[in-house]
Amino acid sequence: MAVPGHRLDRMFNPKVVAVIGDKGPGYMWLHNNLPLKERGGRLYSVQLDEKEIPGIEALGVQNFKSVLEVPEPIDYALVAVPRQVSPYVLKDLIAAGAGGAGFFTSGFAETGEELGIRLQEQLASMAREAGFNLVGPNCMGLYLPKAGVRFNVDAPVTDAGEIGFLSQSGTHGIMFSLVAAANGMYISKCASFGNAIVLDVSDYLEYLMLDDETKVIGMYVEGVKDGRRFFATLKEACRRKPVVVWKGGQTEAGARATMSHTGSLAAPQAVWDGMMRQCGAITTNNLDETIDAMKMLLRAKTPRGDGMALLAQTGGQSVSMTDAFAKAGLRVPRFTDATYTALGEFFNIVGGSYQNPLDMAGTIQGNMETLDRILRIVDADPNVDGMAMELSALFAARQWKAKPETLDRTIATLADHMARSEKPFVAVLHPAHEAEYVASIMPKFNEAGVPVFQSFERAAAAYRRALDFARRRGPSAIAGSAEV
């Protein structure tokens, strides 16, 4: 979806892309962006080296020896040339009227070398003077799945993106996009922006908050150039949609690492935390927490309270599950008398319990009608605001493997519950000793829209973050909720 009139709109919705300086034998950047052609775009190469041209043309990509020779206006360029050459390439891109460029080229201020600092200042000065959209340098550039523009050959090409992601680290940008896809969630637009010498996180954030395709925004950031502007932009973005912020360099040692990584000066953590609270951002500490927060926001209903019904398969797990959710500041209340009466009519208490938490494997015994009956009874309890249910690979994997239809019925039962209930539901499936098998069945849960977490602690933390966000903003603030 375009944001007409925004300075980044042309670059974020490219029809013509040029890769400048790619080399064999892999031709990484050309391979990454071949899907652009399959989606109706035009992909060109710019390469002076005669030895490289046959390999480029073998990919079906037309090569030119100068940016200025490309026969139509370039919407976005990916630049992978030696750092000393980069000012000359930028000069040509400006002269050609390109919409923007990501500079994969590194070796600038992050090195601390005089030459690198001088070249970076030269690029910044040229781009600012021309009003040019320079992404990076020292970055992986843009990942635009709908257009077929990618920063990694494994990144999906899809129209199903809902997450806008910004990353000062190329690795984190790629990792997030791949792990999110493995969890059934896809990127709408992603920018890896490295040293951020011209376009900073606030520029990209402003675009994503206006982009209707983007339901949730996430970011990995090590430092910002203009704190006042970032504060104002983030606050407005959080007013419009959920923003999940993963900050790099939270410790003194980590802050030193950000300096050598992207040349960023980290703000004191206490100041940063205060800013996040004032803006209403959802903060995370790592990739897993960021993925979990996104999953909760996009797949579960909006939490309206902290009263949890916990449905475990066995007694020991019911205790662990309760500890995890209680430590996250969530309540595990008693059910109403009506709920206990209804459950008491059929619940097997020999080796089981229908207190909250439930110990229910002995009652269900693979019968989905019984599971559905439990879900309906607990869901109707006014003391329950949300529900978390354990799926046990330890006990169920053998049956699911032998009779795959039992897994399908389980997923269908949970999906039906989620569709009719107004309360959030999360599932927990620890891989146990069946990691490979559990990984193989996760796409089924993803396709059904059932949010599955790998541990009680991760599910509880994600629920807590979504609840805190909902309390700050109101239920309609959650993009993936039924209310929107």
Side-chain angles (χ1 to χ4, degrees):
M1 185 70 71
V3 182
H6 196 282
R7 66 175 288 190
L8 303 186
D9 197 55
R10 181 180 165 202
M11 181 175 73
F12 269 131
N13 298 278
K15 299 297 183 187
V16 179
V17 172
V19 172
I20 303 170
D22 203 8
K23 288 189 172 184
Y27 299 104
M28 177 181 82
W29 288 107
L30 289 169
H31 272 289
N32 287 350
N33 290 291
L34 286 176
L36 174 78
K37 297 177 63 181
E38 298 165 5
R39 297 211 149 210
R42 278 87 71 199
L43 177 64
Y44 297 107
S45 166
V46 177
Q47 174 57 266
L48 276 171
D49 191 339
E50 296 282 355
K51 296 193 299 293
E52 303 291 348
I53 295 174
I56 292 168
E57 292 178 342
L59 295 172
V61 178
Q62 190 174 6
N63 184 74
F64 297 92
K65 293 188 176 180
S66 165
V67 169
L68 299 175
E69 294 177 6
V70 175
E72 53 186 328
I74 299 168
D75 297 320
Y76 173 66
L78 190 289
V79 182
V81 300
R83 61 180 177 176
Q84 293 92 335
V85 180
S86 56
Y88 299 99
V89 172
L90 177 58
K91 179 183 176 184
D92 283 353
L93 287 167
I94 292 170
F103 278 68
F104 175 62
T105 304
S106 60
F108 296 98
E110 77 278 6
T111 65
E113 299 173 2
E114 183 180 345
L115 175 60
I117 294 171
R118 179 168 56 79
L119 286 169
Q120 177 166 305
E121 290 174 349
Q122 184 178 358
L123 286 180
S125 175
M126 293 171 65
R128 288 196 189 101
E129 184 177 339
F132 186 81
N133 293 321
L134 194 156
V135 182
N138 184 28
C139 71
M140 299 299 288
L142 303 183
Y143 168 40
L144 309 168
K146 194 172 185 178
V149 172
R150 302 186 298 180
F151 52 24
N152 179 270
V153 75
D154 294 323
V157 176
T158 175
D159 295 337
E162 299 176 291
I163 300 172
F165 196 76
L166 308 174
S167 180
Q168 213 159 350
S169 157
T171 299
H172 288 328
I174 294 170
M175 279 283 286
F176 179 85
S177 65
L178 296 181
V179 176
N183 282 271
M185 303 181 293
Y186 298 97
I187 296 290
S188 57
K189 297 173 180 67
C190 177
S192 154
F193 52 91
N195 293 9
I197 62 172
V198 177
L199 297 177
D200 196 7
V201 60
S202 301
D203 296 291
Y204 307 107
L205 180 59
E206 181 186 80
Y207 186 91
L208 292 179
M209 79 179 183
L210 297 172
D211 179 33
D212 288 342
E213 281 181 352
T214 298
K215 305 301 182 188
V216 182
I217 300 171
M219 70 176 75
Y220 169 81
V221 62
E222 297 180 351
V224 296
K225 307 295 184 187
D226 184 342
R228 190 178 297 276
R229 183 185 174 211
F230 178 66
F231 178 84
T233 309
L234 179 61
K235 192 171 185 178
E236 176 61 20
C238 291
R239 192 184 68 78
R240 294 169 179 255
K241 56 186 74 172
V243 181
V244 181
V245 180
W246 166 19
K247 174 70 168 62
Q250 297 187 26
T251 64
E252 184 178 342
R256 288 197 302 272
T258 66
M259 187 62 195
S260 60
H261 179 218
T262 56
S264 296
L265 291 172
Q269 191 59 33
V271 173
W272 180 269
D273 291 341
M275 182 165 61
M276 293 299 105
R277 281 194 299 273
Q278 290 182 56
C279 291
I282 301 167
T283 58
T284 59
N285 300 295
N286 53 50
L287 175 66
D288 289 341
E289 289 183 0
T290 306
I291 290 289
D292 290 347
M294 294 289 184
K295 187 182 297 183
M296 186 73 200
L297 291 166
L298 288 170
R299 299 290 175 259
K301 301 275 174 52
T302 303
R304 291 189 171 85
D306 59 1
M308 297 298 301
L310 303 180
L311 284 60
Q313 300 296 334
T314 62
Q317 289 291 72
S318 73
V319 175
S320 298
M321 193 175 194
T322 303
D323 281 341
F325 279 80
K327 285 182 178 179
L330 300 164
R331 295 183 301 111
V332 187
R334 281 186 57 79
F335 296 139
T336 63
D337 290 343
T339 298
Y340 286 122
T341 299
L343 291 172
E345 291 177 358
F346 64 95
F347 217 94
N348 178 10
I349 59 172
V350 179
S353 170
Y354 56 88
Q355 299 300 313
N356 191 15
L358 273 68
D359 170 2
M360 62 184 191
T363 297
I364 296 175
Q365 296 189 16
N367 186 323
M368 290 302 101
E369 290 181 358
T370 303
L371 173 59
D372 183 70
R373 186 177 181 183
I374 293 172
L375 291 171
R376 288 176 185 273
I377 292 169
V378 174
D379 186 49
D381 192 301
N383 293 341
V384 172
D385 298 308
M387 199 181 305
M389 176 178 155
E390 179 203 15
L391 293 162
S392 175
L394 182 65
F395 298 111
R398 185 188 301 274
Q399 181 186 38
W400 289 344
K401 285 179 178 178
K403 298 179 178 179
E405 66 274 17
T406 61
L407 171 63
D408 295 339
R409 284 200 295 269
T410 299
I411 294 172
T413 301
L414 300 182
D416 288 346
H417 163 73
M418 291 181 61
R420 68 173 177 262
S421 174
E422 296 182 353
K423 300 175 182 178
F425 174 89
V426 297
V428 179
L429 178 55
H430 190 284
H433 64 301
E434 294 281 4
E436 186 175 352
Y437 170 70
V438 169
S440 75
I441 64 174
M442 287 312 300
K444 287 178 174 283
F445 288 96
N446 295 336
E447 290 168 11
V450 178
V452 179
F453 299 86
Q454 291 191 359
S455 72
F456 300 139
E457 288 77 12
R458 288 177 63 171
Y463 190 101
R464 178 80 248 180
R465 285 188 167 94
L467 175 60
D468 289 344
F469 178 76
R471 282 176 167 171
R472 287 195 299 270
R473 296 288 318 286
S476 62
I478 307 282
S481 71
E483 293 83 352
V484 174

